[in-house]
Amino acid sequence: MTSPLPLPWFEERVRELEGLYDAFQSTAAPFVAGAACRPGCADCCTNVGEIYTTTLEGLRISLAIDAISVFEAPVLRRRIAENREQKKRSLLLLCPLLDPEKHCRIYAVRPFTCRRLYSVEPCGQKGPVVHRDLWALAEEFTRAVQALDPLGYSGHVSYILALFDDPLFTENYMAQKPLPKALERLVRDYDLLAHAQAI
């Protein structure tokens, strides 16, 4: 599926989104100065359970996938579809946006959930070690990211990307109209959080 062309409202919100990302990175800098995270680690891309994203971020990711080479984009979309099916049976999955070397294929537009998670120690089996104050700060920023997308949803990345495979959803979202009743099953099937309820 080819993503729709972005509209002025989308471009404006992406600028605001980048502002939130930058503000979080600046505020979090003292906490993560000694982070153990390194390229290719990918523990947080596998063992955290949800690769959470918003519809605003999902549309941005979809556009980034379309901009990848015509040979790579279909492979990536196939992996996303496979991840969507696997997610119904398993909580812990490798993020479908990783390449074979466990590097993120869409790193420049990765969602906030990927930007907020750091570990001050190597993860291993115990998972990430995050400062409590940083976690609380990240929760505030998560709500701010959701507030940029008031008619949108949050959920696992392959579920959010699936929304844009539905022309009716895409048409309504791009027009910034509320979700029609005919699509409420998608929200239930994918267990998505409606931002209107969260903010």
Side-chain angles (χ1 to χ4, degrees):
M1 172 230 149
T2 301
S3 300
L5 292 175
L7 297 171
W9 70 261
F10 173 76
E11 300 291 355
E12 175 60 30
R13 288 194 198 160
V14 164
R15 283 191 289 274
E16 294 179 54
L17 186 64
E18 285 290 342
L20 285 173
Y21 290 166
D22 291 344
F24 177 78
Q25 185 174 356
S26 175
T27 309
F31 295 106
V32 301
C37 308
R38 298 291 178 268
C41 166
D43 274 333
C44 293
C45 311
T46 308
N47 297 318
V48 187
E50 291 281 357
I51 307 296
Y52 220 59
T53 189
T54 64
T55 38
L56 178 63
E57 293 170 309
L59 177 55
R60 197 172 180 219
I61 291 168
S62 193
L63 291 166
I65 292 170
D66 285 345
I68 294 173
S69 81
V70 293
F71 302 105
E72 290 183 78
V75 173
L76 195 50
R77 290 208 179 270
R78 188 166 53 250
R79 286 211 312 263
I80 292 166
E82 290 168 358
N83 178 272
R84 189 160 51 247
E85 289 305 309
Q86 293 166 348
K87 186 65 182 167
K88 296 173 184 175
R89 302 184 296 275
S90 176
L91 289 176
L92 302 180
L93 293 172
L94 191 68
C95 177
L97 300 169
L98 294 176
D99 68 16
E101 286 74 43
K102 295 187 178 178
H103 295 119
C104 181
R105 292 296 289 121
I106 52 96
Y107 188 78
V109 297
R110 67 198 186 283
F112 182 68
T113 192
C114 303
R115 297 167 190 263
R116 66 174 283 180
L117 198 51
Y118 297 88
S119 183
V120 295
E121 297 176 13
C123 291
Q125 290 188 338
K126 66 181 176 182
V129 179
V130 182
H131 194 284
R132 183 177 299 151
D133 291 342
L134 177 58
W135 188 265
L137 178 70
E139 289 295 296
E140 289 179 28
F141 272 85
T142 295
R143 289 188 287 275
V145 169
Q146 291 171 339
L148 285 180
D149 193 16
L151 295 178
Y153 298 85
S154 290
H156 183 64
V157 64
S158 61
Y159 290 163
I160 291 292
L161 291 174
L163 294 176
F164 293 103
D165 289 339
D166 188 302
L168 184 56
F169 176 85
T170 303
E171 178 185 335
N172 276 268
Y173 184 75
M174 296 306 287
Q176 286 292 275
K177 295 178 181 176
L179 191 74
K181 289 229 178 268
L183 292 181
E184 288 179 356
R185 60 172 176 77
L186 287 178
V187 175
R188 291 193 304 271
D189 290 349
Y190 293 147
D191 194 25
L192 302 179
L193 170 70
H195 294 166
Q197 297 171 0
I199 54 180

